Amino acid sequence: MKVAILGYGNIGRAAEMAVKAASDMELVGIFHHDDRIENIDADVVLVCTPTREVEPFASLLAKRGVCTVDSFDIHGEISSLRKTLMPVCQANKAVSIISAGWDPGSDSMVRALMSALMPDGTTYTNFGPGRSMGHTVAAKAIPGVKDALSMTLPAGKGVHNRHVYIELKDGYKFEDVKAALLRDDYFAHDKTEVELVESVAALNTTAHGVLIERDGIVGGHEGQHLDYGMRIDNPSLTGQFMVSCARAAVRMRDDGRYGAYTTIELAPIDLLLGGKEDIIKSLV
Amino acid sequence: MKVAILGYGNIGRAAEMAVKAASDMELVGIFHHDDRIENIDADVVLVCTPTREVEPFASLLAKRGVCTVDSFDIHGEISSLRKTLMPVCQANKAVSIISAGWDPGSDSMVRALMSALMPDGTTYTNFGPGRSMGHTVAAKAIPGVKDALSMTLPAGKGVHNRHVYIELKDGYKFEDVKAALLRDDYFAHDKTEVELVESVAALNTTAHGVLIERDGIVGGHEGQHLDYGMRIDNPSLTGQFMVSCARAAVRMRDDGRYGAYTTIELAPIDLLLGGKEDIIKSLV
């Protein structure tokens, strides 16, 4: 299958490695936001742009009958994105797999499976320790901050603390900058520590993780427990999973299952390289 | 949807509880092996018989256009069962979901997802601690054994030790019975301890567990790690997951997707009660 990449930041670069490693895929191009992608000759495009640009690009490509995969990550707007892309994909014989990072994405599949195994229970998704992209950007925007890194620290039961490392611009006082940061809406709701450091660059990391836990009752028995965890490189895992979803998109298109789908609407077998018989024999 | 249960052992009883708790299902009957089930009025039958009886019952029901779900558990024969049932289901507009317990079953879905996230790596499935049904039956068959319980103890990296509790029949010597048990093909390949106890019944348990671990490389980064674990009641979890798969079977039949499928061919969303929009909003 012919695969193209749109957007060449951390995730685009990780996706490039994963496409090149997939023996059933051919990388036919890497495009930047301002390139003309309308006439691209690809089965599927990995949309690795910022989240806000996903919908226009995915729509444009679906109209040309090109499948897409994105890692749109605003949880509250996923359903709306799916609704927008669904008729475009159906009318133009394309498949768009949306929100196919790790959360939303593979974690969503785990939460769905856990709910099927244990309908009565509570699920907590605990992120980190790892760098929060959104909070890091928010910290960098505080006046007086020269560089910043916001770490997400899991405090259990879906509660997260934050540890923010900052470098100061000349002429600013740490206490003033810290106070402004703690008032910011990104940080006002979580327990947040702010630490002044000489070099944020020396601390920076793309390692991340998650622990999903579901506790509840099965068959009248209390105390049943399910958990799922990852310790991974954040952009690499996102890029790899998008590439696996690209395989599913093309297969679903070839089966005539046109439309826009979240990851919980995919069968795991469609994500994997190889023939169904072989996969079933080795993994089931 | 109308659901019937065939077979009323531990799993059939657990399935009964799960069907009764599902607001979209009506339990229309519980059948035993010798009942006439050919003319059963159900959308889907949960085949809770011993594994060796799954194929004839599932074939018979598929021929009548009735969907089935089973927990067939011989890993090496799953692909063959699927091949046998596939044309029968397709010809009679039925869906059969096979090997839908926890391993094979939900664990298979986890292994497939882990492979999609990390194509280069090694997966180990560690069972227990918990009672092995097969090994317990094998221990009970050794001459001189009055009652037995064989526990599976995970020793890491997919290696398992066994701890077998036995009660003796009158006139047998423990050392002789122990030697015979250790020579049995079920136990000859694993590190096995045998312990003489006064009452096996006092020790018996249906609690079980699993830990699936995958370690490997993503995006050139070594040391990436995924894991999934459960501590659950064995028959309850199997019964519950079969019921969730019954929902998927009927939905796939209603979509015209006739055939025989393993769990890795199912979309997690189809396992869950409720409308797609609501599920996507709450779980993705």
Side-chain angles (χ1 to χ4, degrees), chain A residues 142-146 168-177 196:
Chain A
I142 304 291
V145 172
K146 187 174 161 192
L168 279 188
K169 284 182 183 162
D170 289 342
Y172 284 85
K173 280 190 191 160
F174 175 64
E175 287 307 321
D176 297 343
V177 173
L196 183 63

Side-chain angles (χ1 to χ4, degrees), chain B residues 123-138:
Chain B
T123 298
Y124 292 101
T125 302
N126 307 286
F127 297 109
R131 183 176 65 156
S132 165
M133 302 283 283
H135 290 78
T136 295
V137 169

Side-chain angles (χ1 to χ4, degrees), chain A residues 1 3-5 10-22 24-25 44-48 68-73 75 78 96-112 210 212 228 230 232-252 261-273, chain B residues 109-120 214 217-220 224 226 264 266-268 283-284:
Chain A
M1 49 190 80
V3 184
I5 294 170
N10 284 336
I11 293 174
R13 267 179 268 268
E16 179 188 10
M17 277 190 76
V19 173
K20 287 180 173 169
D24 58 343
M25 296 185 180
V44 55
V45 174
L46 304 170
V47 180
C48 303
T68 59
V69 176
D70 64 68
S71 57
F72 182 92
D73 67 353
H75 283 264
I78 293 169
S96 179
I97 297 180
I98 67 170
S99 300
W102 55 276
D103 206 309
S106 53
D107 284 2
S108 315
M109 295 177 85
V110 171
R111 284 190 289 266
V210 74
I212 304 176
Y228 169 83
M230 298 199 301
I232 45 83
D233 178 63
N234 191 353
S236 296
L237 199 87
T238 303
Q240 177 60 63
F241 193 61
M242 288 178 74
V243 168
S244 295
C245 287
R247 184 176 288 126
V250 175
R251 286 176 176 167
M252 292 168 82
Y261 301 97
T262 59
T263 55
I264 66 171
E265 297 168 88
L266 310 182
I269 198 169
D270 287 332
L271 302 168
L272 300 172
L273 178 69
Chain B
M109 296 176 84
V110 171
R111 283 189 291 265
L113 178 61
M114 285 182 171
S115 292
L117 289 164
M118 190 191 287
D120 293 328
R214 186 166 177 84
I217 300 175
V218 185
Q224 311 293 291
L226 311 173
I264 66 171
L266 311 180
L283 285 177
V284 175

Side-chain angles (χ1 to χ4, degrees), chain A:
Chain A
M1 49 190 80
K2 292 178 180 175
V3 184
I5 294 170
L6 172 64
Y8 201 56
N10 284 336
I11 293 174
R13 267 179 268 268
E16 179 188 10
M17 277 190 76
V19 173
K20 287 180 173 169
S23 61
D24 58 343
M25 296 185 180
E26 180 194 353
L27 183 63
V28 297
I30 295 173
F31 295 81
H32 297 270
H33 300 187
D34 45 357
D35 292 345
R36 289 182 59 86
I37 57 156
E38 294 91 325
N39 299 316
I40 194 167
D41 176 27
D43 294 296
V44 55
V45 174
L46 304 170
V47 180
C48 303
T49 64
T51 272
R52 288 289 177 205
E53 297 170 27
V54 162
E55 186 180 307
F57 280 120
S59 287
L60 179 69
L61 289 161
K63 275 180 197 152
R64 307 294 170 123
V66 178
C67 299
T68 59
V69 176
D70 64 68
S71 57
F72 182 92
D73 67 353
I74 305 169
H75 283 264
E77 298 179 17
I78 293 169
S79 176
S80 152
L81 176 64
R82 181 176 174 273
K83 257 190 213 161
T84 302
L85 293 178
M86 183 71 86
V88 186
C89 288
Q90 287 172 339
N92 298 283
K93 301 193 172 179
V95 169
S96 179
I97 297 180
I98 67 170
S99 300
W102 55 276
D103 206 309
S106 53
D107 284 2
S108 315
M109 295 177 85
V110 171
R111 284 190 289 266
L113 177 61
M114 286 182 170
S115 292
L117 288 165
M118 190 189 286
D120 293 329
T122 49
T123 298
Y124 291 103
T125 302
N126 306 286
F127 296 109
R131 182 176 67 158
S132 166
M133 301 284 282
H135 289 78
T136 295
V137 169
K140 284 180 182 175
I142 304 291
V145 172
K146 187 174 161 192
D147 198 2
L149 162 64
S150 180
M151 294 292 289
T152 302
L153 308 176
K157 299 289 180 199
V159 174
H160 297 93
N161 297 338
R162 306 198 178 275
H163 195 123
V164 187
Y165 300 93
I166 60 171
E167 279 179 58
L168 279 188
K169 284 182 183 162
D170 289 342
Y172 284 85
K173 280 190 191 160
F174 175 64
E175 287 307 321
D176 297 343
V177 173
K178 175 181 170 177
L181 188 146
L182 293 176
R183 278 194 306 271
D184 189 280
D185 199 52
Y186 264 88
F187 300 98
H189 313 289
D190 299 324
K191 194 175 155 195
T192 302
E193 278 191 73
V194 186
E195 186 176 336
L196 183 63
V197 294
E198 294 211 353
S199 167
V200 163
L203 300 168
N204 227 338
T205 178
T206 53
H208 217 308
V210 74
L211 172 65
I212 304 176
E213 297 180 288
R214 186 165 176 85
D215 291 283
I217 301 175
V218 184
H221 298 278
E222 281 281 1
Q224 312 293 291
H225 178 79
L226 311 173
D227 59 56
Y228 169 83
M230 298 199 301
R231 284 304 306 165
I232 45 83
D233 178 63
N234 191 353
S236 296
L237 199 87
T238 303
Q240 177 60 63
F241 193 61
M242 288 178 74
V243 168
S244 295
C245 287
R247 184 176 288 126
V250 175
R251 286 176 176 167
M252 292 168 82
R253 182 201 65 184
D254 292 348
D255 284 350
R257 304 182 59 205
Y258 313 122
Y261 301 97
T262 59
T263 55
I264 66 171
E265 297 168 88
L266 310 182
I269 198 169
D270 287 332
L271 302 168
L272 300 172
L273 178 69
K276 284 195 177 182
E277 283 286 317
D278 291 337
I279 296 169
I280 289 168
K281 280 179 185 161
S282 71
L283 284 178
V284 176

